[in-house]
Amino acid sequence: MTDNPTQTISGRVGMVGAGQLARMTQQAAVALGVELTVLAESAEDPAVLAGARFRQGSPANIEDLRQLASLVDVVTFDHEQVDPELLKELEAEGVKLAPGAAAKLHAQDKLHARRALASHGFPIPGFAEASTIGEFDQFAAEQGWPVVAKAPRGGYDGRGVWMLEDRGQAEELLDSASGPFLLEAMLDIEMEIAVMVARSAVGELAVYPVVETVQREAMCREVKAPAAIDKGLAEEAAGIATEIAGRIGLVGVMAVELFITPGGLLVNELALRPHNSGHYSIEGCVTSQFEQHLRAVLDLPLGETSLTAPSVVTVNVVGGDSEDGPESRLADALAVPGAHVHLYAKQTRPGRKLGHVTVCGQDADATAKAARSAASALEGGFS
Ligand code: ADP
């Protein structure tokens, strides 16, 4: 008699990519009895090391994507780096993608997202598309220097974002990288916030608390839940996120990043997948973003999103000069009461996200202090 593994599982999900997001999705999949298969570049990828089934291959190769799709009920994503044309092709062949190719494009192409959000009347920063120095000049004549230039595709953690002080720096950029670029004025940002929203194919929606994201060198370093903002603004941000989810036909979870500026809220970018700003939800919300994503893509009922404590803070663990990974310093971090440590099993490298720590508590300052102290211990610093 042969075993039929499909008899003992509640769903089969494929994920393109096998990094830390897939690794944490695997943890949620185990709990729900969902079989997660990842398309991994290597057997050493974080999700594979966490026990996910895997197909070795590249997200740039349609055959590899087809192979993954043939093993599962629905295909979803751990990142944005898949050619949108390949996704359209897969969809035309009948592959069920969640989110679908048209929705996913809003996270893959910043220019496309800006135009779509503008056409629906959502508040966004003033922007222009530019490929020539003349177009940079024209934008600067209207908005002044400095100008923020962004690569429409392929950027993350600030890679692909350039703060240009003057025309000379714009010329240097045009010499070193090819356009088109998305241009924005340098905004006066009072706070950066994010809202996680989930939507299933039948249209059920769930929105998470609004969180503050703290960046250093354009990379998210801390997430504080809830954001210390007034209720009206939080409701406005949550309303924008849920409306975008419906408009673009989201299936899965989506992080909506917004800037609070003196003129009000502006939508910065969308990530149609679990996101760094939602890691706090593993311990900090009734349903984690990873479990919620699986529920949404499998069309299962969505879970409750409320906080499990008055304050939840996540601090990222980022590689520094030390050659030893954070694993070697685990004991120091675990000595911090209440520290929930997540390590991604990634090789250490300066500036690379290697893990995170979440602390749930009563008081925002004390919670942040504890989370920072554990994260700093893992990074090899002193607190
Ligand atoms: P990425 O896709 O790399 O995360 P973002 O567009 O989110 O790129 O930009 C990264 C960070 O750069 C933001 O979190 C913010 O701190 C800063 N930033 C982005 N756009 C602007 C802007 N127009 N004005 C000022 N700061 C900005």
Side-chain angles (χ1 to χ4, degrees), residues 110 148 150 155-159 161 163 184-187 189 192 215 218 257 259 268-269:
K110 290 180 182 184
V148 181
K150 299 182 180 179
Y156 65 98
D157 288 347
R159 296 179 179 95
V161 176
M163 309 291 180
E184 293 171 5
M186 181 73 82
L187 298 164
I189 300 171
E192 297 193 40
Q215 343 284 319
E257 296 179 26
F259 298 141
N268 176 34
E269 69 172 338

Side-chain angles (χ1 to χ4, degrees), residues 222 311-315 317 332-341 356-378 383:
E222 291 187 9
S311 171
V312 184
V313 176
T314 291
V315 177
V317 176
D332 295 341
L334 294 182
V336 177
H340 296 281
V341 172
H356 73 264
V357 177
T358 297
V359 176
C360 304
Q362 298 299 314
D363 169 80
D365 288 338
T367 308
K369 201 169 162 220
R372 277 179 207 141
S373 143
S376 152
L378 289 164
S383 56

Side-chain angles (χ1 to χ4, degrees), residues 65-330:
L65 293 165
R66 282 191 188 117
Q67 285 270 337
L68 174 73
S70 72
L71 299 170
V72 298
D73 306 319
V74 57
V75 173
T76 186
F77 309 92
D78 139 300
H79 56 67
E80 322 292 9
Q81 321 299 339
V82 196
D83 181 349
E85 293 305 316
L86 297 188
L87 297 185
K88 275 202 243 164
E89 215 171 312
L90 289 173
E91 221 160 42
E93 292 168 9
V95 172
K96 189 172 164 198
L97 300 177
K104 183 72 175 166
L105 189 59
H106 294 85
Q108 296 176 304
D109 187 315
K110 290 180 182 184
L111 267 167
H112 174 78
R114 285 278 194 274
R115 291 196 180 106
L117 292 173
S119 76
H120 295 309
F122 290 106
I124 57 163
F127 73 99
E129 178 179 345
S131 302
T132 64
I133 193 67
E135 287 162 339
F136 275 75
D137 282 340
Q138 194 181 337
F139 187 78
E142 290 158 17
Q143 307 275 345
W145 297 99
V147 165
V148 181
K150 299 182 180 179
R153 293 188 180 190
Y156 65 98
D157 288 347
R159 296 179 179 95
V161 176
W162 299 272
M163 309 291 180
L164 307 173
E165 293 301 327
D166 52 35
R167 186 173 201 269
Q169 292 190 352
E171 281 176 326
E172 274 172 39
L173 175 63
L174 285 167
D175 285 343
S176 64
S178 61
F181 297 96
L182 164 65
L183 302 188
E184 293 171 5
M186 181 73 82
L187 298 164
D188 179 7
I189 300 171
E190 292 170 354
M191 189 189 283
E192 297 193 40
I193 59 172
V195 191
M196 178 66 59
V197 57
R199 185 175 176 277
S200 61
V202 290
E204 189 186 355
L205 279 163
V207 64
Y208 283 79
V210 178
V211 300
E212 176 181 356
T213 61
V214 181
Q215 343 284 319
R216 268 203 300 283
E217 286 150 14
M219 182 201 270
C220 175
R221 301 303 287 254
E222 291 187 9
V223 176
K224 299 179 189 173
I229 57 175
D230 69 56
K231 201 162 161 257
L233 202 58
E235 281 169 4
E236 195 189 329
I240 289 172
T242 46
E243 216 182 309
I244 294 174
R247 282 272 183 197
I248 68 173
L250 171 74
V251 179
V253 295
M254 168 174 72
V256 179
E257 296 179 26
L258 302 108
F259 298 141
I260 301 179
T261 70
L265 289 175
L266 297 174
V267 179
N268 176 34
E269 69 172 338
L270 311 177
L272 274 75
R273 53 176 168 77
H275 187 251
N276 195 170
S277 66
H279 292 353
Y280 81 95
S281 63
I282 298 175
E283 293 86 10
C285 293
V286 175
T287 310
S288 84
Q289 63 165 345
F290 301 100
E291 175 175 334
Q292 196 77 292
H293 189 62
L294 290 172
R295 290 181 184 224
V297 304
L298 287 168
D299 232 343
L300 294 164
L302 299 184
E304 240 228 90
T305 55
S306 51
L307 290 173
T308 57
S311 171
V312 184
V313 176
T314 291
V315 177
N316 284 335
V317 176
V318 179
D321 297 333
S322 170
E323 282 182 15
D324 299 329
E327 293 77 10
S328 63
R329 294 178 287 270
L330 181 61

